[in-house]
Amino acid sequence: MKNIKKLLLALLALALLVGCSSGGSASTDTSTDTADKTIKVGATAVPHAMILNDVVKGILANEGWTLEVVEFTDYVTPNTSLEEGELDANYFQTLGYLEDQNETRGLHLVAVAGIHYEPMTVFAKTYTDLSQISDGDQIAVPNDYDNEKRALAVVAAAGLIEYDADSVAADGSPLDGITSNPKNLVFQEVEAANVANVLDDVAALVINGNYALESNIKDRANNLFVEVPDIAKRTNYVAVKEGNENSEKTQALVAAITSPEVKAYIEENYGSAVICVFE
């Protein structure tokens, strides 16, 4: 009986020892406590992804972060991907476009840092001057609500139409804001990423700066007019999902992308096509 009791006591002590050992191992296992040091950012190719890859990635690497840049060819998917948690941030859009997408698509995105603006430009393949645009000519413009309103305002600033952007209803067509069209211009609404592709089919087009750079349209067409934008509204921002404005990842990304190195890179590589807005 004594031997049995001793055996039971020994087994109990062994069980307690194993339990304590297992608990100790769990408390010191850091595999699940290691901070996620990868920042995933969605961007259109030029100049946004170039800036991120050529400059920001190196700055963040020196701070212990890995920057993963996901390139998009459209304006919609970078926002829906951010909303769904597939990205930590995106960098491609103006505040006006962001606000419109939040409202129309039910997104919850916020701008956290203004980086640069890209003037919209009127290009034509054969015309070399605005005065050559004739009665009934077709002009291609982006077809999303905010950019189409912006493009039509550029056409108005060029003196070709009169336009009242404020008169356009939130659920109306941007074309409704045209109050005078003396040359009976016909506006061809095209997805923003495809505007450059219709150069041969229209008299002129109005294109976003990033797509103008990406398509090298200046090498194939004549620059007729350059927008003087509302800088506050037309600045391109880094955006994150609501609630992540002050996260460690956001703070690291913003610090890197508003660095002197990025400012110098923009000025050296893009000239008047991309204007840096931060000091």
Side-chain angles (χ1 to χ4, degrees), residues 87-104:
L87 302 170
D88 296 305
N90 67 34
Y91 167 44
F92 75 96
Q93 67 193 317
T94 64
L95 191 59
Y97 184 79
L98 174 63
E99 291 172 346
D100 175 64
Q101 291 294 290
N102 275 342
E103 181 176 349
T104 59

Side-chain angles (χ1 to χ4, degrees), residues 131-164:
S131 63
Q132 295 174 290
I133 293 179
S134 306
D135 189 81
D137 274 347
Q138 290 192 34
I139 298 181
V141 294
N143 68 357
D144 64 86
Y145 182 83
D146 183 66
N147 278 306
E148 186 170 356
K149 285 177 63 179
R150 179 183 178 186
L152 291 170
V154 171
V155 176
L160 297 174
I161 62 173
E162 292 182 9
Y163 189 68
D164 181 9

Side-chain angles (χ1 to χ4, degrees), residues 82-204:
L82 181 57
E83 176 74 18
E84 293 165 4
E86 297 170 0
L87 302 170
D88 296 305
N90 67 34
Y91 167 44
F92 75 96
Q93 67 193 317
T94 64
L95 191 59
Y97 184 79
L98 174 63
E99 291 172 346
D100 175 64
Q101 291 294 290
N102 275 342
E103 181 176 349
T104 59
R105 297 183 182 275
L107 307 181
H108 306 84
L109 310 182
V110 292
V112 291
I115 310 304
H116 72 269
Y117 70 87
E118 306 155 12
M120 268 190 166
T121 304
V122 180
F123 283 101
K125 184 171 183 179
T126 58
Y127 295 158
T128 58
D129 190 86
L130 286 170
S131 63
Q132 295 174 290
I133 293 179
S134 306
D135 189 81
D137 274 347
Q138 290 192 34
I139 298 181
V141 294
N143 68 357
D144 64 86
Y145 182 83
D146 183 66
N147 278 306
E148 186 170 356
K149 285 177 63 179
R150 179 183 178 186
L152 291 170
V154 171
V155 176
L160 297 174
I161 62 173
E162 292 182 9
Y163 189 68
D164 181 9
D166 294 333
S167 69
V168 180
D171 58 350
S173 166
L175 296 173
D176 295 340
I178 298 175
T179 57
S180 177
N181 186 3
K183 292 191 175 184
N184 300 302
L185 300 176
V186 177
F187 292 96
Q188 183 174 332
E189 299 167 297
V190 183
E191 203 278 322
N194 291 320
V195 170
N197 297 333
V198 302
L199 178 64
D200 294 338
D201 304 321
V202 295

Side-chain angles (χ1 to χ4, degrees), residues 53-72:
N53 282 315
D54 291 353
V55 190
V56 178
K57 182 175 287 186
I59 296 172
L60 286 171
N62 290 334
E63 299 295 327
W65 294 94
T66 297
L67 176 64
E68 182 179 342
V69 181
V70 182
E71 290 191 22
F72 293 88

